[in-house]
Each structure stands twice: as C-alpha cells, then as structure tokens.
Amino acid sequence: MSTACVVVTVLAAVLAGLSAVFTFFHAEWVVRPMADYGVPRSWWPWLGTAKAAGAAGLLVGLAAPAIGIAAAIGLVLYFAGAVITVARARYYSHVAFPAVYAAPVVAALVLRLTA
C-alpha cells in the first residue's frame, strides 16, 4: 500500500468522522441546512451513524482491505445521496459541500483499487 493511499484514506476518515460528530452534536452549520433540505430530524442520528461507521471502516481497511473498500463504497453512495438531496431541494450553491467530503473518499477508493 502506498503512502498516498494511507494519507488520503486517513484524511477521508477524518473528514467523514468530523461530519458524523457535527451531526451528532447538532452543529448549527450542519443541521440547519439538513432541515432546509427537508431531511427529517429523526434521520439525523442514522445519518451520523452511517458516516461514523464509514470513517471507522476506512481506518480498519488499512489492515483489512475488503472492509476499507466496502466502507469507501458506502460513503461514496452516502455522499452521492447527499448531493442528490441538496440538488432536489434546489440549493444548487450548496452542492459543493457534500462533494468536498466525497472527493477524498473517492480518491481513497481509487488508490486502494489500483494498489
């Protein structure tokens, strides 16, 4: 495994983990837009859990590649869903926010699959 793969994977895990923490603790800059996009408040703990599990899976994937690949695929799907949710709510100027979280996950997945 290359150094780039490890660095990008850890970065992706940190970003996904921080996003989960912000969701769990109802950080205003995270939950207000989610409410504006029409995401039900009852979903927030599940969404935070999905991000936290994905972050943990990426880190475990450094030792167990299949778990890391599965976690990366799950997070890519999660953030793709976030982009779709933002676009469906017609907040087009906000589409970049979930894309910023998705980019390192996609990069980690590509690096892992090409290693």
Side-chain angles (χ1 to χ4, degrees), residues 34-80:
M34 286 177 26
D36 291 344
Y37 307 148
V39 178
R41 188 178 175 97
S42 63
W43 291 13
W44 297 355
W46 296 106
L47 297 174
T49 301
K51 291 185 274 191
L58 287 175
L59 295 176
V60 170
L62 294 173
I67 293 173
I69 290 169
I73 290 169
L75 283 171
V76 167
L77 292 173
Y78 175 91
F79 289 120

Side-chain angles (χ1 to χ4, degrees), residues 5-18 58-59 101 103-105 108:
C5 184
V6 173
V7 170
V8 171
T9 299
V10 170
L11 173 67
V14 167
L15 286 175
L18 284 173
L58 287 175
L59 295 176
Y101 288 98
V105 176

Side-chain angles (χ1 to χ4, degrees), residues 19 29 33 37 79 82-83 86 91-103:
S19 182
W29 68 90
Y37 307 148
F79 289 120
V83 168
V86 172
Y91 281 82
Y92 301 115
S93 63
H94 294 194
V95 168
F97 297 118
V100 166
Y101 288 98

